[in-house]
Amino acid sequence: AEVLQLLRMDDCNAHGVLARRADALDGSEADPTARGVRGALLLASGSLVNHECLPTLARFDDCDAGSRSSATACSTPCVSFRTLHAVPRGGELSLSYVPLLWDGEERRARCRALFGFDCRCARCRAELREEAEAQGKEAPAAGLGEEEADWRYVDVFLLKYVCARPGCGGTLAPEAPGGSAAECNVCGAKRTEKEFLEELQALQE
């Protein structure tokens, strides 16, 4: 029983490590978005980071030294965490344990099945209230200090921080603090702040 409990704890706290990007291999023409999970890491600090469907962090796997050309690429195998945007002093650092573009029920089902909790982040609470209202039911009561996400913010967040490369769905985070270019943590695609603003303006027209 103790062994099973330890294995369960390991399963809930470990981070899946993505395989090396295909476009980092000499002469490869494979799809760089097709990165399977090749193993797991149990990180002393990383395992303390909670889940949220509008996270403040993105995780970058660089377990093949020199496989990325990013200015922040590690010279030795490592896993790094980057903030997506400025986080207020005392604000919580969070990761999404599931793809950001999954719908609410799919995200919550994965969290229940793999990690044993029901997500009640601001995005999920807004989705649950909307679903309840559509079904003519009473929305779940909010706990003390719980807030719901604004849908306009959610839309802009997903546009800015989810990679638009077909079939990818990775998370875009600044290459360097305060930098104007963001890099995808799955396929390595890059986008500047100017390009994002142009996309946002085009959608608003």
Side-chain angles (χ1 to χ4, degrees), residues 22-23 28 57 66 96-97 108 134 136 145 149 158 163 169 176 178:
D23 64 351
S28 173
L57 296 175
S96 179
Y97 297 173
R108 291 187 288 276
L158 296 178
C163 181

Side-chain angles (χ1 to χ4, degrees), residues 2-72:
E2 291 183 6
V3 172
L4 290 176
Q5 185 178 9
L6 288 172
L7 289 173
R8 177 60 177 164
M9 291 172 62
D10 180 83
D11 190 41
C12 288
N13 289 283
H15 291 263
V17 180
L18 294 177
R20 189 177 183 181
R21 274 218 326 267
D23 64 351
L25 302 176
D26 294 338
S28 173
E29 296 182 357
D31 182 358
T33 67
R35 297 182 68 186
V37 176
R38 62 174 168 186
L41 285 175
L42 191 59
L43 306 172
S45 298
S47 63
L48 300 176
V49 181
N50 288 325
H51 162 81
E52 190 173 344
C53 296
L54 295 175
T56 58
L57 296 175
R59 194 190 83 233
F60 284 75
D61 298 341
D62 197 13
C63 293
D64 299 284
S67 65
R68 289 195 290 114
S69 59
S70 167
T72 57

Side-chain angles (χ1 to χ4, degrees), residues 136-171:
K137 299 179 180 178
E138 184 176 350
L144 182 64
E146 291 185 338
E147 298 180 357
E148 292 183 4
D150 180 272
W151 285 117
R152 291 170 297 181
Y153 175 78
V154 173
D155 290 341
V156 173
F157 183 97
L158 296 178
L159 176 66
K160 183 168 186 176
Y161 297 116
V162 176
C163 181
R165 194 171 191 170
C168 182
T171 305

Side-chain angles (χ1 to χ4, degrees), residues 110-123:
R110 176 62 66 89
C111 287
R112 282 193 297 270
L114 293 186
F115 305 105
F117 69 88
D118 284 301
C119 184
R120 287 182 57 84
C121 71
R123 182 181 175 189

